[in-house]
Amino acid sequence: MADPRFFRRAGPFSLEALAALSGARLADPALGGRLVEDVAPLETAGPSDLTFLSNRKYTDAFTASRAGAAFVSEALAARAPAGMAVLVSPEPYKAFARAVQAFYPSEELVPGRAPSAVIDPSACVPADCAIAANVVIEAGARLGARCSVGANTVIGTGVELGDDCSIAANVTLSHCLIGARVVLHPGVRIGQPGFGFAPDEGVAVKLPQLGRVIIGDDVDIGANTTIDRGSGHDTEIGAGTMIDNLVQIGHNVVLGRGCILAGQVGISGSTKLGDYVMAGGQVGLAGHLNIGSGARLGAKSGLMRDVPAGETVMGNPAMPAVAFWKQHAMMRRMVRKKGER
C-alpha cells in the first residue's frame, strides 16, 4: 500500500472495470465482479491487490505471488498460481500503468494565489490557476487555464504556457513557449543561454543566444534537467516526449515526437533526433548529428556519427548492436584463451 500521507487512493474497482479501462481481457469472465482494493509489486501483493508480470526474469516471483489479480501476457498466463485472476494483455506493464492511474489519480487543482507570489501586472494568469508561495511571474508572461506553479518558481518575461501545465517547485523558465499538459519536475531549467563562444587567444568571445525553446504538448521533463535555448534556430522538444532527471539538451537540438531519454543523457548542440528515439542512461551525443526515427541508443553509448532510422546501437564509440555483441564475444574468447595458457 502506498503511504497515505503522500498518496490518495481511489477504488475499489471490479476486475471487469479494470479490464475495460486497461484494454485487457479477463481470462475468466465469471470473476468480473471481484473487487480489487489496491496495486502492489509481485512480492508484496496480497489477495485484494492487483499486480503485473512483464519481464520473464520475474516469473518465479509471479508463480509464488499471493496477489488476487495480475496483468500478464498470453504466453505466461498459464504460470499464474491457483486463485489468481488473470488479466491477459499484450502489454502488461502499460495495462498496469492505466490501472495505477485509476487507483491513484492526480491531485485535483485548487485555484489560488499565495500572498507572497509576485505577478507582474502585464502577465496573464487565469483565475483558475494555482500559484504557490514566492513564485515570480514576469512581464508579458502568459499561462493557460488550470496551470499549477510550485513554490519559488520563476517564469520569465514573455514565456507562454498552454492549458493544464504542472510546474513544480524551483523551476526557472525563460525564452520558451510551452504546450498544453506539460509536466516540469523540481529544478528544471529551460531557456538559459546555450554554450556558444568563439575561441580566442585571450578571452573567448561569447555568442549571444537569440533563439527560443519550443516544447510540444504532453511533454514530461524530469528533475534538474536543463534545456538550452537556441543560438539562432530554436531548440525544439516534440509532443509526447519523456525526459528523465539530469538530462542536458544543448542549443538548437531538435527532438521529434515521443522520444524517451533516460537519466544523464547529454545531447550536444544542433543534433536532431527523429520521432520515437529511445536513449538509455548516460548516452552522450556529439553535435550536428542526425538520429533517425525509431533508433535505440544503448546505455552509456557514445554517439559520434549519424544513426539510421530504426537502428539499435551500443558501445563507445557506438556501433550497431550486432557488431557490438560480436566484438564483445570475441574479446571474451581472447581473455579466456589467455587464461588457459
Side-chain angles (χ1 to χ4, degrees), residues 256-275:
R257 297 175 59 87
C259 293
I260 298 177
L261 309 182
Q264 299 185 357
V265 166
I267 306 179
S268 300
S270 300
T271 282
K272 294 179 171 58
L273 278 64
D275 297 338

Side-chain angles (χ1 to χ4, degrees), residues 2-341:
D3 192 324
R5 291 173 294 184
F6 307 123
F7 304 99
R8 179 180 60 85
R9 187 181 68 193
F13 296 98
S14 69
L15 289 175
E16 183 178 45
L18 291 168
L21 68 85
S22 65
R25 174 179 60 83
L26 186 57
D28 183 357
L31 299 177
R34 181 188 290 184
L35 294 178
V36 175
E37 296 182 0
D38 206 348
V39 293
L42 285 167
E43 297 83 356
T44 61
S48 62
D49 294 329
L50 172 68
T51 190
F52 75 101
L53 174 67
S54 65
N55 188 326
R56 285 180 175 271
K57 69 184 292 185
Y58 299 109
T59 302
D60 288 345
F62 175 63
T63 58
S65 179
R66 297 175 56 248
F71 292 107
V72 63
S73 66
E74 188 81 56
L76 296 174
R79 302 292 298 273
M84 178 186 285
V86 172
L87 293 145
V88 179
S89 171
E91 298 179 289
Y93 184 59
K94 184 187 292 186
F96 182 73
R98 288 176 173 148
V100 176
Q101 289 175 354
F103 277 102
Y104 293 94
S106 300
E107 293 292 328
E108 293 184 6
L109 182 73
V110 179
R113 300 185 185 187
S116 58
V118 179
I119 302 176
D120 188 274
S122 67
C124 177
V125 181
D128 59 1
C129 290
I131 310 300
N134 302 317
V135 167
V136 175
I137 302 178
E138 297 181 348
R142 300 180 64 86
L143 275 62
R146 301 173 300 279
C147 289
S148 64
V149 183
N152 305 312
T153 283
V154 177
I155 299 177
T157 300
V159 168
E160 295 188 8
L161 277 67
D163 295 342
D164 300 299
C165 288
S166 177
I167 313 302
N170 299 303
V171 170
T172 58
L173 305 178
S174 70
H175 303 82
C176 59
L177 305 177
I178 294 175
R181 301 173 299 282
V182 170
V183 177
L184 305 181
H185 294 275
V188 165
R189 313 296 180 197
I190 295 176
Q192 60 281 337
F195 191 55
F197 62 92
D200 185 84
E201 292 181 358
V203 177
V205 180
K206 290 186 71 81
L207 177 69
Q209 304 289 286
L210 304 179
R212 307 168 297 178
V213 177
I214 310 296
I215 296 179
D217 296 341
D218 302 300
V219 170
D220 193 297
I221 300 176
N224 294 322
T225 282
T226 59
I227 303 177
D228 297 341
R229 69 176 182 260
S231 60
H233 301 293
D234 293 327
T235 301
E236 300 179 29
I237 309 298
T241 288
M242 300 289 159
I243 301 174
D244 198 1
N245 304 332
L246 296 169
V247 170
Q248 158 64 17
I249 297 177
H251 58 196
N252 307 333
V253 167
V254 175
L255 302 185
R257 297 175 59 87
C259 293
I260 298 177
L261 309 182
Q264 299 185 357
V265 166
I267 306 179
S268 300
S270 300
T271 282
K272 294 179 171 58
L273 278 64
D275 297 338
Y276 306 107
V277 172
M278 300 177 66
Q282 297 187 339
V283 167
L285 294 94
H288 305 276
L289 300 181
N290 286 288
I291 310 300
S293 293
R296 299 162 63 92
L297 318 178
K300 289 183 175 289
S301 296
L303 277 293
M304 288 172 276
R305 64 171 182 85
D306 294 348
V307 177
E311 185 167 288
T312 298
V313 298
M314 305 178 70
N316 190 359
M319 63 185 72
V322 172
F324 173 84
W325 288 116
K326 284 183 177 178
Q327 184 182 82
H328 182 69
M330 184 183 303
M331 292 179 65
R332 290 186 64 181
R333 286 196 297 269
M334 291 174 62
V335 170
R336 187 168 61 249
K337 287 181 179 179
K338 185 176 181 180
E340 291 172 352
R341 293 175 183 171

